[in-house]
Amino acid sequence: MTDRSEHSIRSQIPLLAVIMLGMFISVLNQTLLNVAIPHLITEFNITATDAEWLLTGYMLVNGILIPLSAFLIERFGIRNLFIAAMVFFTGGSIVCGLAPTFSMLLIGRLLQAVGAGLLMPLSMTIILSIFPPEMRGKGMGIFGLGIMFAPAIGPTLSGWVLEHYSWRLLFDGIAPLGLLVLIISIFLLKDLGGTNKDLKLDYLGTFLSTIGFGALLYGLSEAGSKGWDDIIVDITLIVGLICIILFVFQQLNSKRPMLDFRILKYPVFTLSSVINMITTIGMFGGMFLVPIYLQNLRGFSPLESGLLMLPGAILMGILSPISGILFDKVGPRPLAIIGMLITLITTYEFTNLTVTSSYNFIMVLYMIRSIGMGLIMMPITTAGINELPREKNAHGTALSNTSRQIAGSVGISFITTVFTSRTTFHLELFRNSTNTMDPQFQQSFMDQAIQMSAQLGIPLEQAKAALTNMLAGQIGLQSSMAGIQDAFYWTTGITFVAFLLSFFLKDVRKKGKPVVTSVPKLEKPKEEKQKLEPVTT
């Protein structure tokens, strides 16, 4: 049985390579544009708020489509949907590369988002269809290679392209790769699992899902910059949460749900989803804070910042398939505990960063943290998916990716809020400690001003003004540094919760349950209906 499975998988290697390339460029595309925003503002003479819609719109389309992916896969089939996704993604890349106006660039970006929003759950479903449960760790490791390596290489690659070429190359370089994946998938990809053409679109569910997830993600993305007390943020978050709650209840009472929340009754899947969400919050927190520290506080360029994070990204990508192989041998719990422990310790070490920490020390610390992240991301996801019946794989991938995307938005917004509020708090403390009404501080200030005046040969008043400016700059720098340290303390606490939960992970393959050993096809529910209510044709 194992030999037959391995032979079957080896025959699918070309297809797996194509799927991985498609997934890699779609994830890479999400991060390429961040560094290019200032160039686009100048190129199209637009405001920063307008330019942000290239990122916000992309995220919203992704967030709307991913929950619907389970229905779309079952209704149209994996092959048709994958080809359609690559058509949208490649077509959007071409439109962006040729865009003469900002409006056309935004349209192309949204077309890309349609394709990318479908590619992630589609690729995951294909991997699960090809690999049996006892070899699924290896398959999910291959899947993780793209989604872990691409986000970190994106800013570095984007910075290098913008330094030497036009921003249009960011899209012109992606388009041929997308076209290659599209052409090869037409010939290699077969319809795994079949289709159910009788499946009807749930219009109410689609409306609630679209408004709910769209409003929630928009509110979370704006909360980081506008604050949680902004009226627009509050309204969108409330509307989003209400619609999502209504969507969940509506789907639970549906005979053919678009997104089957009943899979949450599987305890390992639910636990792995919770751990994944917490881990994603911690991961995005680190990915958000490190560039701020390097660029805003230390003065490194975006390219230098990206190069520092690149070795960690490479390590994470290399470890993904290795952790998948280890998962097949030892199960999820040892990998999760070891990976979480490494992540926890290194995240805590980031709280000790100062304005004098060396570039190499930060790089090594980030690399070690990436090792921990590489050991946990895919094994935890695989542990949960393994508990589901095969006909629920599409729903599992849709729910897993949706929860991860929400967690990423929550993580960035929450860590931004902590960083901003704690920086303000420390700024007030430092200002109070430099009160000119304090005789001791006033005497120290005058002594330094007199010394500067004598050394530089400038009037005392000019020395006092220069010293005041230097002091204000140091207060701002130290306040931001303390804010980042506090944000890493919160990230450490969040990671600690995931570390504790990882002790409860189980390897469901050892149960020998038919739920994972039998592999009914997607059209099975239709066949069961025919058995219960025979019809003549």
Side-chain angles (χ1 to χ4, degrees), residues 335-346 372 376 495 499 502:
L335 291 174
I337 292 173
I338 295 171
M340 282 294 181
L341 184 61
I342 294 172
T343 305
L344 180 64
I345 293 172
T346 50
I376 59 181
T495 306
F499 172 67
S502 65

Side-chain angles (χ1 to χ4, degrees), residues 114-172:
V114 172
L118 293 173
L119 279 172
M120 179 72 74
L122 264 173
S123 301
M124 199 167 172
T125 303
I126 293 172
I127 294 288
L128 295 175
S129 299
I130 292 175
F131 287 84
E134 66 272 10
M135 301 180 66
R136 200 165 277 169
K138 187 184 299 182
M140 291 298 287
I142 295 172
F143 175 80
L145 184 62
I147 64 172
M148 288 184 179
F149 183 60
I153 197 177
T156 307
L157 180 62
S158 181
W160 181 80
V161 168
L162 293 171
E163 213 171 90
H164 298 89
Y165 304 99
S166 166
W167 61 267
R168 295 182 184 274
L169 185 60
L170 298 176
F171 301 104
D172 293 338

Side-chain angles (χ1 to χ4, degrees), residues 451-507:
Q451 185 178 2
M452 179 183 288
S453 175
Q455 288 178 347
L456 300 179
I458 57 177
L460 180 60
E461 290 301 317
Q462 186 177 345
K464 288 168 67 176
L467 189 59
T468 300
N469 290 333
M470 290 173 57
L471 191 60
Q474 281 299 312
I475 288 174
L477 180 64
Q478 293 298 332
S479 300
S480 297
M481 188 68 252
I484 282 182
Q485 289 171 342
D486 289 349
F488 269 116
Y489 274 118
W490 276 93
T491 307
T492 302
I494 292 169
T495 306
F496 181 70
V497 175
F499 172 67
L500 293 180
L501 292 176
S502 65
F503 282 90
F504 298 95
L505 276 176
K506 297 179 181 178
D507 189 354

Side-chain angles (χ1 to χ4, degrees), residues 228-240:
W228 295 90
D229 56 350
D230 182 81
I231 185 66
I232 300 298
V233 170
D234 292 340
I235 290 174
T236 52
L237 288 176
I238 292 170
V239 170

Side-chain angles (χ1 to χ4, degrees), residues 327-395:
F327 174 90
D328 291 335
K329 295 182 179 298
V330 301
R333 188 184 298 169
L335 291 174
I337 292 173
I338 295 171
M340 282 294 181
L341 184 61
I342 294 172
T343 305
L344 180 64
I345 293 172
T346 50
T347 302
Y348 176 76
E349 283 300 314
F350 272 108
T351 64
N352 297 319
L353 286 181
T354 67
V355 292
T356 58
S357 298
S358 72
Y359 186 90
N360 290 336
F361 170 76
I362 303 167
M363 180 187 292
V364 171
L365 187 60
Y366 193 83
M367 287 172 64
I368 298 173
R369 187 174 190 266
S370 298
I371 291 174
M373 299 299 294
L375 287 173
I376 59 181
M377 292 302 290
M378 284 303 104
I380 290 175
T381 302
T382 310
I385 294 293
N386 271 351
E387 193 180 23
L388 301 180
R390 184 174 178 179
E391 68 269 18
K392 298 297 182 183
N393 280 348
H395 294 271

